[in-house]
Amino acid sequence: MAYAPHAVLYPRERLNAELYRAVGRGFEVSAGVSRLAFRQAGATNVYTVSLGKYAGNWLVGARVYKSDADTASQAMMRRFFGEHGQYVELRLGKGTTRDAIRSAADIESLDVREISAEALLARGQHGMFKLRAAAGRTSLRQGRFSLSAALGWRF
């Protein structure tokens, strides 16, 4: 849950909930909802369901997002290694609803086909570093590229 009283680009209010359930033989399912309230664009709901399968150090999964306006889908492969939840991941996606909605532009973006790679690396028991690179193409044949990095501390 988040609240930003003077938000312009980002949602004024954001509420997320997702339930996960292991269903046996390495499978897990989830279902969730995000409600984003923008000052000028009003509120938007994004619903999601996923199915994942663990096999050794691998997680393979698929996720579908349904917003008020559109549907999107993603497939991913994640390889866990070492301790502290470290991983590398490859993700393919298609649609207009993004996996991480941070602004009104993320909801209203053009239809995108995207590939991304992500790594979460631990530094000791508490420190972590996340790196993500993504490239894609919109329905208007415009190229997109993003690169992000984050530092974190686990308590």
Side-chain angles (χ1 to χ4, degrees), residues 4-8 10-12 37-42:
H6 305 294
V8 176
Y10 298 101
R12 183 180 176 118
F38 295 93
R39 183 177 296 220
Q40 308 211 336

Short mmCIF file of all heavy atoms in Angstrom, two decimals, residues 4-8 10-12 37-42:
data_model
loop_
_atom_site.label_atom_id
_atom_site.label_comp_id
_atom_site.label_asym_id
_atom_site.label_seq_id
_atom_site.Cartn_x
_atom_site.Cartn_y
_atom_site.Cartn_z
N ALA A 4 0.67 8.97 -2.00
CA ALA A 4 1.48 10.14 -2.34
C ALA A 4 0.53 11.31 -2.55
O ALA A 4 -0.09 11.44 -3.61
CB ALA A 4 2.29 9.88 -3.60
N PRO A 5 0.35 12.18 -1.56
CA PRO A 5 -0.65 13.24 -1.64
C PRO A 5 -0.43 14.24 -2.77
O PRO A 5 -1.39 14.83 -3.26
CB PRO A 5 -0.56 13.93 -0.28
CG PRO A 5 0.77 13.58 0.25
CD PRO A 5 1.11 12.23 -0.32
N HIS A 6 0.80 14.42 -3.23
CA HIS A 6 1.08 15.40 -4.27
C HIS A 6 1.56 14.75 -5.56
O HIS A 6 2.29 15.37 -6.34
CB HIS A 6 2.11 16.42 -3.77
CG HIS A 6 1.71 17.08 -2.50
ND1 HIS A 6 0.63 17.94 -2.41
CD2 HIS A 6 2.21 16.98 -1.25
CE1 HIS A 6 0.50 18.35 -1.16
NE2 HIS A 6 1.45 17.77 -0.43
N ALA A 7 1.17 13.52 -5.80
CA ALA A 7 1.64 12.77 -6.96
C ALA A 7 1.17 13.41 -8.26
O ALA A 7 0.03 13.86 -8.36
CB ALA A 7 1.13 11.34 -6.90
N VAL A 8 2.06 13.46 -9.23
CA VAL A 8 1.72 13.97 -10.54
C VAL A 8 1.87 12.84 -11.56
O VAL A 8 0.92 12.48 -12.24
CB VAL A 8 2.61 15.17 -10.93
CG1 VAL A 8 2.31 15.63 -12.35
CG2 VAL A 8 2.43 16.31 -9.95
N TYR A 10 3.13 9.63 -10.77
CA TYR A 10 2.87 8.34 -10.14
C TYR A 10 1.48 8.30 -9.53
O TYR A 10 0.85 9.33 -9.34
CB TYR A 10 3.95 8.07 -9.07
CG TYR A 10 5.32 8.00 -9.69
CD1 TYR A 10 6.19 9.08 -9.62
CD2 TYR A 10 5.73 6.87 -10.38
CE1 TYR A 10 7.44 9.02 -10.21
CE2 TYR A 10 6.97 6.81 -10.97
CZ TYR A 10 7.83 7.89 -10.88
OH TYR A 10 9.04 7.83 -11.48
N PRO A 11 0.99 7.10 -9.20
CA PRO A 11 -0.35 7.02 -8.61
C PRO A 11 -0.41 7.74 -7.26
O PRO A 11 0.54 7.71 -6.49
CB PRO A 11 -0.59 5.52 -8.41
CG PRO A 11 0.56 4.81 -8.96
CD PRO A 11 1.60 5.78 -9.34
N ARG A 12 -1.54 8.35 -7.02
CA ARG A 12 -1.76 8.99 -5.72
C ARG A 12 -1.93 7.92 -4.64
O ARG A 12 -1.45 8.06 -3.53
CB ARG A 12 -3.00 9.87 -5.82
CG ARG A 12 -3.28 10.64 -4.56
CD ARG A 12 -4.53 11.50 -4.73
NE ARG A 12 -4.82 12.15 -3.48
CZ ARG A 12 -4.84 13.46 -3.33
NH1 ARG A 12 -4.61 14.24 -4.35
NH2 ARG A 12 -5.11 13.97 -2.17
N ALA A 37 -4.77 4.58 -8.18
CA ALA A 37 -5.63 5.75 -8.30
C ALA A 37 -4.77 6.95 -8.70
O ALA A 37 -3.90 7.38 -7.94
CB ALA A 37 -6.36 6.03 -6.99
N PHE A 38 -5.03 7.45 -9.90
CA PHE A 38 -4.31 8.61 -10.41
C PHE A 38 -5.17 9.85 -10.24
O PHE A 38 -6.39 9.79 -10.36
CB PHE A 38 -3.95 8.40 -11.88
CG PHE A 38 -3.00 7.26 -12.10
CD1 PHE A 38 -3.48 6.00 -12.38
CD2 PHE A 38 -1.64 7.46 -12.01
CE1 PHE A 38 -2.62 4.94 -12.58
CE2 PHE A 38 -0.76 6.41 -12.20
CZ PHE A 38 -1.25 5.15 -12.50
N ARG A 39 -4.52 10.97 -10.01
CA ARG A 39 -5.23 12.22 -9.78
C ARG A 39 -6.14 12.58 -10.96
O ARG A 39 -7.29 12.92 -10.78
CB ARG A 39 -4.23 13.34 -9.53
CG ARG A 39 -4.88 14.66 -9.21
CD ARG A 39 -3.84 15.67 -8.91
NE ARG A 39 -3.14 15.23 -7.71
CZ ARG A 39 -2.75 16.01 -6.74
NH1 ARG A 39 -2.95 17.29 -6.83
NH2 ARG A 39 -2.14 15.53 -5.69
N GLN A 40 -5.63 12.51 -12.18
CA GLN A 40 -6.41 12.96 -13.33
C GLN A 40 -7.03 11.82 -14.13
O GLN A 40 -8.07 11.99 -14.72
CB GLN A 40 -5.54 13.82 -14.22
CG GLN A 40 -4.88 14.91 -13.41
CD GLN A 40 -4.63 16.17 -14.18
OE1 GLN A 40 -4.53 16.14 -15.38
NE2 GLN A 40 -4.55 17.26 -13.47
N ALA A 41 -6.39 10.66 -14.13
CA ALA A 41 -6.87 9.55 -14.96
C ALA A 41 -7.86 8.65 -14.24
O ALA A 41 -8.41 7.75 -14.83
CB ALA A 41 -5.69 8.73 -15.46
N GLY A 42 -8.08 8.88 -12.95
CA GLY A 42 -8.99 8.03 -12.20
C GLY A 42 -8.30 6.75 -11.74
O GLY A 42 -7.08 6.64 -11.75
#
